[in-house]
Each structure stands twice: as C-alpha cells, then as structure tokens.
Amino acid sequence: MKMSRVLVGTLLVLHLVLVPCNGDEGGFPFQFPYPSGNAEQPLNETNSNILREGFYNQSCPNAEQIVADTLAQIVKTNPKAVPILIRLQFHDCFVAGCDASILLDYALTGDKVEKSSMFNGLLLKGADLIDDIKSKLEEECPQTVSCADTLAFATNEAMALAGLPRRSPLGGRRDSLISLASIAEDNNLPLPNWSLDQMIQLFNNKGFSTEELVVLLGSHSVGSCHCDVFMERVFNFQNTGKPDPALTVEVIDELRNECRNAGTPQFRNPPVNFDETPTVLDNLFFKNMVDRQKTLLITDSHLITDPRTAPIVKQMADDPDLFQRKFAEAMLKLSSLNVLTGENGEVRKVCRSTNA
C-alpha cells in the first residue's frame, strides 16, 4: 500500500515523477518484444509527425467536443480528475508507448497486466474516467475513436481546465492488444527514491532532455501526496531521529501540522497538496522550491540542489508563462511517444478489454 501512495505522488512525469530530468537528447534504444502474431510497429520514435489535428473530422466530427463536455461534467464533482489523467497518460506512454495498454484488465497471454504492477501503484486511478468518456464516444461513433486517443484527448482537455491555453489535440493513435506488468517493471517507470542520475538516464532513454524532465515534474502543481510517503523526511530522515536538513524549520512545522499523529493508531494518512493551487497548472510548485526550499518527495528535492537542474527550476519559478508553454510542449511529446498507427493495433470497443 505504501508503494501505491508513493506512486500517486510521483508522475509524470508524471510522477510525473509524471505522474513525476536529462541533459542530452536521447533516442529510444529499447524495443518491446511483442509476441508473434501481433503486428505492432517498433517502438523507436516519437510520432507527432504521424498524428494530426482533426483526425476524426470526417469519421466522428464531435469527438473532441464529446470528450471536453464529458470531462467538464466529471471535474465538477471530481476536481482530482486533472492530476489523475495526467498521471495515467504518463504511466501509459512511458511503458510501451501511448497505446492504452494501461487500461486493459487482462492479458490474452494470461500474464499480469500493467495496471496490476507495483510500479503502477496497484490502485492506479483514472480507468473509470476513461470508461465514462469512451461510452459517450461509442454512442456517437461506434468503434471509431481509439482508447489511446480518448486518453490523450482527455488529458489535453484536463490541462486546459487546469489553466493552460487550449490547443487542438493530435489524433490517430490505435490501441495495443497487449499489456504486461513485466514491461512496466523493466526500468520503464521511475521510483520515488531514485537518484537524479537514475531519473536522467530513464528520461534520456525515452528521448527527453533534462529540461523536459524538470518541466514534466511540474505536473506536481496539480498533485498531492499522502503523508506516509514523505513523513520520514519530516520526523526521522534516514533513521537519524531528525528531519531532513534540506527542509527549513518553517516547512517542517507546516508538514508536521499536516501529518499530525504520524505513527500512532490515530494517524489517518491524509493527502497533502504539492502547492497551494492544487487545481491549477502554474509555476507555484517551482516557486516554493526556490523561495521556501519546500519539496515533499526526495526526487523533487534533487532538482533544486543539483547544478544540472537548479537553473531550470529557477527559470520555471521566475516565468509562469514559460512553464505553461514548456509543459504543454513536453506533454505533446509525451502523448506522441511510440504510438501505434495505421493498421497496427486495433480500436477497442471497451477500453478494459481487447476486441479478441
């Protein structure tokens, strides 16, 4: 259960550790070993040049509006849908590409699927949101809009609802027939105790720069993290009996107040927002790092202390428009990662299962 809460806070990136940083641009050296008989394309490039705006203009002209309208209704009662969708997009794309494999409940091979992996937190949220949106799309245009596009369109709309300038989504993704937990666990997703070097290497392997990693970690602007994930930094850092020296007294007192009764039977392990505007994709997450040395996760704390990333954090903290522009660009790149197009994969009727 602790791993689940850890990864809720971690993303893009992302965690983004989003969900969650890299110095040099890199390629995509890994290849996903699809079993024979599944004609998937090699995972070796971003595909924003293959995807296009208005992909469903002829086949399902209301697709984008349906996604927007359905998500707007969802967010009215569930404002956490925005970080949930961003994290879900990251966890889908970083494993084997943006192919909706994260949404499958079972594998044709009988193996464990991605969403059942500890690396995905076991309780990865958001599949039900995609179910709701996809059902509306199926009513309008049966078996036309892929689940991978549904997730990408929903994430794109979620960012607009969180304050980013609205932009037309790219379409044309198709859905994978395969989902394997073993691929998620093969160093394709970050862990919250990783060093910055490990993070840089992972993101570099996926073709993302150090700046893009830092920017994607800005997804924490709309995220939260349960106390048990970070409270050892506040109470007993590395078994010293003292708090993490990287945290200021002000931040320690603030987090101790948020996580009262830690370690006692009365402890309820509440979620704590990464910053004070949890529904807005702004640069306050970075401003708190610079101005207050405030971070919840160890992986985030590396960003402000390492000379490779600290200048980027400062840039994002100083310029809110720059962060929003860079975040939109990084998410566009993320959502185009190793997609299936053309005749590869399928368009699922139900996102939790293949058509087979």
Side-chain angles (χ1 to χ4, degrees):
M1 182 63 74
K2 181 174 181 180
M3 180 68 73
S4 170
R5 294 183 180 120
V6 166
L7 288 173
V8 167
T10 305
L11 157 104
L12 103 4
V13 222
L14 254 209
H15 169 327
L16 283 152
V17 138
L18 315 139
V19 120
C21 321
N22 335 347
D24 302 319
E25 291 290 343
F28 299 85
F30 66 99
Q31 293 283 317
F32 179 45
Y34 288 98
S36 59
N38 187 26
E40 311 283 5
Q41 67 188 43
L43 301 185
N44 58 5
E45 61 176 339
T46 54
N47 290 278
S48 57
N49 59 325
I50 299 173
L51 305 175
R52 69 176 188 271
E53 294 182 10
F55 184 83
Y56 296 102
N57 281 354
Q58 300 301 317
S59 60
C60 190
N62 294 325
E64 294 175 23
Q65 193 62 51
I66 290 169
V67 173
D69 291 346
T70 308
L71 184 58
Q73 290 301 313
I74 290 171
V75 169
K76 285 181 181 179
T77 57
N78 182 10
K80 292 184 178 180
V82 170
I84 285 171
L85 287 169
I86 293 173
R87 178 176 178 245
L88 190 65
Q89 179 83 93
F90 175 81
H91 280 253
D92 184 40
C93 295
F94 247 51
V95 173
C98 306
D99 58 6
S101 54
I102 191 66
L103 300 174
L104 288 173
D105 282 341
Y106 66 90
L108 295 175
T109 59
D111 295 292
K112 286 172 54 180
V113 294
E114 289 174 35
K115 67 169 61 171
S116 70
S117 168
M118 287 295 289
F119 280 64
N120 274 320
L122 291 178
L123 301 177
L124 188 69
K125 297 178 181 179
D128 58 329
L129 307 181
I130 300 303
D131 289 342
D132 291 344
I133 298 169
K134 174 66 168 170
S135 67
K136 300 293 186 184
L137 290 167
E138 285 296 306
E139 290 175 11
E140 178 89 2
C141 313
Q143 207 171 343
T144 301
V145 182
S146 69
C147 296
D149 274 349
T150 302
L151 175 54
F153 286 16
T155 304
N156 181 72
E157 183 63 23
M159 292 190 297
L161 293 175
L164 266 61
R166 192 173 300 277
R167 62 191 301 164
S168 297
L170 302 182
R173 302 166 191 80
R174 287 169 65 87
D175 302 326
S176 176
L177 305 176
I178 294 170
S179 179
L180 296 174
S182 58
I183 304 301
E185 295 163 2
D186 189 22
N187 290 322
N188 281 316
L189 290 171
L191 290 177
N193 61 348
W194 272 17
S195 68
L196 185 58
D197 285 339
Q198 288 173 299
M199 294 288 292
I200 286 175
Q201 185 61 58
L202 172 62
F203 276 70
N204 182 251
N205 288 346
K206 305 292 184 180
F208 290 85
S209 69
T210 300
E211 180 183 83
E212 288 167 328
L213 171 53
V214 174
V215 168
L216 285 172
L217 282 170
S219 64
H220 287 164
S221 172
V222 288
S224 63
C225 183
H226 283 269
C227 285
D228 68 346
V229 174
F230 62 83
M231 65 184 180
E232 67 182 47
R233 295 188 68 201
V234 179
F235 294 100
N236 185 25
F237 183 62
Q238 296 181 348
N239 295 316
T240 61
K242 300 177 181 180
D244 186 343
L247 298 173
T248 65
V249 172
E250 176 192 16
V251 171
I252 291 168
D253 289 345
E254 179 183 319
L255 296 180
R256 283 180 173 175
N257 185 59
E258 295 268 15
C259 302
R260 290 188 295 273
N261 302 319
T264 70
Q266 294 78 31
F267 181 55
R268 297 182 185 213
N269 195 31
V272 176
N273 295 327
F274 283 100
D275 68 27
E276 293 80 5
T277 55
T279 62
V280 182
L281 269 167
D282 56 22
N283 69 333
L284 187 54
F285 171 70
F286 295 111
K287 285 180 65 67
N288 281 342
M289 282 192 200
V290 173
D291 297 341
R292 303 180 58 213
Q293 290 77 58
K294 180 182 178 181
T295 57
L296 301 187
L297 303 180
I298 288 288
T299 42
D300 290 344
S301 71
H302 298 325
L303 301 184
I304 194 60
T305 58
D306 193 287
R308 291 170 292 182
T309 52
I312 304 169
V313 170
K314 181 72 163 52
Q315 272 189 310
M316 298 304 124
D318 288 345
D319 190 338
D321 293 334
L322 177 66
F323 165 66
Q324 288 197 329
R325 177 170 60 81
K326 291 286 188 180
F327 187 79
E329 291 170 355
M331 286 299 293
L332 176 64
K333 182 174 177 178
L334 174 71
S335 67
S336 304
L337 189 63
N338 296 333
V339 297
L340 302 174
T341 60
E343 297 302 314
N344 297 305
E346 65 176 2
V347 175
R348 292 183 213 144
K349 301 174 185 176
V350 177
C351 292
R352 292 176 181 268
S353 62
T354 65
N355 298 330

